[in-house]
Amino acid sequence: MPTLTWVGKDKVVNHHHDVPFRVLNKKYTYSAQHSTAQHSTAQHSTAQHSTAQHNYTEFPLKNVNNRIIHGDNLEALKSLLPEFEGKVNCIYIDPPYNTGNESWVYNDNVNDPKLKKWLGQVVGKEGEDLSRHDKWLCMMYPRLKLLHRLLAADGAIFISIDDNEQSTLKLVMDEIFGAKNFIGMFIVNASPSAIDYGHIGKTHDYALFYAKNIYEIITNQLEEKAKEFKYTDGEGGFNIYPLYNGNVAFNPTTRPNLYYPFYLNASNEIEDGFYEISLEYKEDWVEVYPVVSRKDGIQRVWRWGREKASGELNHEIIGYITSSGEYRIVQKSRHTSKVIRSLLLDNEVQSRRGTSEVESIFGKKSFSFPKPVKLLEDFISISTDAKSEAVVLDSFSGSGTTAHAVLKLNAQDGGNRRFILIEAMSYAETITAERVRRVMSGYGEGIKAVAGLGGSFDFYTVGEPLFLPDNNLNEAVGVEVIRDYVAYTERIPKADRTTQDNPYTPHLLGINRDVAWLFNYDAGKATVLDMDYLAGLRLDNAKPANAIIYADRCLLEKAFMTKHGIIFKKIPRDITRF
């Protein structure tokens, strides 16, 4: 397989191993609240983001466990490994295109002072002579290696790029993810007006689409989405979906325009299994309102208003009677994802659409060239479904479009996807997080008001490293962080992990019938693995055949440990101070 070589590659190809694990410091939790005026954002513990005074009621529990991380994405990605390695279902990134243009809100020439410093430390003196393409590849390679580790076996990654680095990115992705896992390249209608690059008016960008394991994603994701049509009519095949809105924030109080009755003629079956409906009252016809959800008890509303619905009566909107005799209003869907088109020409995926979306949220131009929500919805829907609690990661999150797309998809199909955003730039709070707050709680005024989608997120910063320069533990991070790291390095299954308040011993990290993991640690004194320590353990009948025990020193003889299945591991810290 052809591989790409550039100046500095030998210094970064394994650099992801040297990136320190760092603590992710939780700064606040933001929980969306719903305003009856539908145009104000909510509050979090450190700042108020409301534009007016309103009476609030909390949204139902939905769209939770999301994260926004402010900090270097290389360090943040490494610090996510203990919790999310192999668990991210969809990754989307929109890295710098390396155009040489330094007028963007982020530096697209890869000349950021932090990056220059990093190149000097990692690549060394030859980093001073790197071209901007060398710098870009040095920056991207270790990040892509970490993203590969985070991606689930049946996960997918989408990367937006343009002609400046498309060819080099493809070769690097083939090297890291494997050429066989390349699914395809999307051509995205980026701009209706050509951008002059000298000879050809450019109107498109690209998006590379890779799987972690193409056999896994084809079996578990893409084929699952390629369902056959269940019904047919004069126009061809179709499936049916309920017309009610899955967004729990929408109800008859918040969206009265979406709450009205249909009338169904149960005596007139216009198609096989489908019945005539009307928006006008008809004597002896059945009155049908949106359902009350059995799951949360919330009265739903329709996805369409009266005007739109009236134009689709008995064509794309029809009546349906379930096998249990319940009346439903359903929409025909002729869409199938059996074939994913490589040309994305929809006007809703153009860059100018993304710009107008951000302007409508902030009331002014706040970010250059944000991706449109529809583009991200398409990518996320290809690789996730509403049934799973998929994790969607964006490590170049910019204005927060990925989070917006996740929230919209969940509203449309009732899913419970969650997002992780990472942003290194200073606008992580003022633009990235603020956009998500407004999308969750609502924004705009008057006829331009947009109801919030609900949800919450935790805002983090990248903190101290777990290890000091001398390779000893940074004990200042606290015992819980250290325990979590040790459990990760030992690959203790999540189901087997224990907290310090377990019924056996506060030193227990995890236990199953084969092995117990113990972390004999005391911040104030050196610890010893000896006979007295073993005698003090209270594992009772749960005692497994083997034990891995961390301590500062070990006084047991090797023969004894071998006989009793004990493995000692020294805690990496300086105990001469005790």
Side-chain angles (χ1 to χ4, degrees), residues 504-520:
Y504 304 116
T505 169
H507 297 160
L508 190 66
L509 293 172
I511 190 170
N512 57 38
R513 66 180 184 179
D514 297 316
V515 61
W517 296 266
L518 297 113
F519 187 61
N520 181 11

Side-chain angles (χ1 to χ4, degrees), residues 34-38 245 249-262 289-290 299-307 449 451:
H34 178 66
S35 164
T36 54
Q38 297 181 7
N245 198 311
F250 292 176
N251 57 59
T253 300
T254 62
R255 298 303 295 268
N257 62 310
L258 299 179
Y259 186 70
Y260 52 87
F262 284 85
Y289 279 93
Q299 172 67 62
R300 298 294 199 243
V301 295
W302 303 119
R303 282 188 283 115
W304 292 357
R306 273 180 175 273
E307 183 176 351

Side-chain angles (χ1 to χ4, degrees), residues 1 29 77 89 123 137 144-145 184 190 198 212 218 233 242 285 307 332 343 354 398 404 418 428 474 484 497 536:
M1 181 186 75
T29 296
L77 288 171
N89 306 96
V123 179
L137 288 164
L144 292 171
K145 292 286 282 188
K212 177 71 168 284
I218 291 297
D233 61 11
W285 287 28
E307 183 176 351
K332 294 180 180 179
L343 288 174
H404 194 162
R418 55 185 176 132
N474 179 6
D484 286 343
R497 294 190 186 184

